[in-house]
């Protein structure tokens, strides 16, 4: 299994460096590589990212620091699993640059099926 390298969390500040850290040092330490997910049928979700000005949510299950891809389930128009480039989330802002992607600070790790059930209930 490849050794995981932990990048500096300051590389993950949203809105071109003016917003919230989407991936903290603590989160980077626990996020597995995509090929090391413990239970692929119901993977553990370690972070909830969301768009403050819309209905976009991502349940993050793993991260590949080499490709800078987050893996997980995106719930927007459709619900789908796959990779999302972290750099796309970091640079996105609304029309005046004041809002972008955020990370839920109250989220605690849980299996993906629990996240999807809660998302559909709200």
């Amino acid at each position: 299994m490849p050794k995981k390298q932990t990048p500096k969390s300051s590389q993950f500040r949203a809105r071109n460096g003016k917003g919230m850290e989407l991936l903290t040092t603590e989160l980077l330490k626990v996020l597995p590589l995509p090929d090391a997910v413990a239970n692929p049928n119901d993977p553990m979700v370690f972070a909830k990212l969301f768009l403050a000005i819309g209905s976009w949510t991502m349940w993050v299950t793993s991260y590949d620091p080499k490709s800078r891809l987050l893996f997980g389930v995106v719930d927007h128009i459709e619900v789908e699993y796959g990779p999302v480039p972290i750099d796309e989330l970091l640079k996105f802002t609304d029309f005046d640059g004041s809002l972008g992607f955020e990370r839920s600070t109250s989220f605690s790790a849980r299996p993906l099926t629990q996240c999807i059930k809660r998302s559909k209930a709200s």
Side-chain angles (χ1 to χ4, degrees):
M1 185 173 303
K3 183 169 168 55
K4 185 175 163 185
Q5 296 177 345
T6 304
K8 293 179 182 177
S9 64
S10 60
Q11 299 175 31
F12 303 105
R13 194 163 289 282
R15 297 193 332 263
N16 293 315
K18 300 174 189 160
M20 168 182 258
E21 276 187 327
L22 297 184
L23 298 179
T24 63
T25 303
E26 296 79 19
L27 190 53
L28 288 166
K29 288 178 184 176
V30 297
L31 272 172
L33 293 168
D35 60 352
V37 172
N39 180 1
N41 294 324
D42 191 14
M44 188 63 84
V45 173
F46 295 94
K48 175 186 176 184
L49 304 180
F50 62 94
L51 186 54
I53 55 172
S55 63
W56 191 97
T57 301
M58 180 175 192
W59 307 100
V60 181
T61 59
S62 60
Y63 175 67
D64 181 356
K66 283 189 176 185
S67 63
R68 292 182 59 90
L69 290 174
L70 291 168
F71 289 82
V73 171
V74 173
D75 186 355
H76 181 47
I77 296 169
E78 296 180 23
V79 177
E80 56 188 327
Y81 177 84
V84 174
I86 184 73
D87 295 318
E88 293 297 317
L89 303 184
L90 296 175
K91 68 182 179 182
F92 179 87
T93 62
D94 66 342
F95 66 94
D96 69 356
S98 62
L99 294 172
F101 285 95
E102 303 282 333
R103 176 183 39 80
S104 173
T105 56
S106 62
F107 183 81
S108 58
R110 60 182 66 111
L112 178 61
T113 52
Q114 290 181 17
C115 298
I116 298 299
K117 286 178 188 175
R118 285 184 185 193
S119 177
K120 295 301 174 200
S122 53

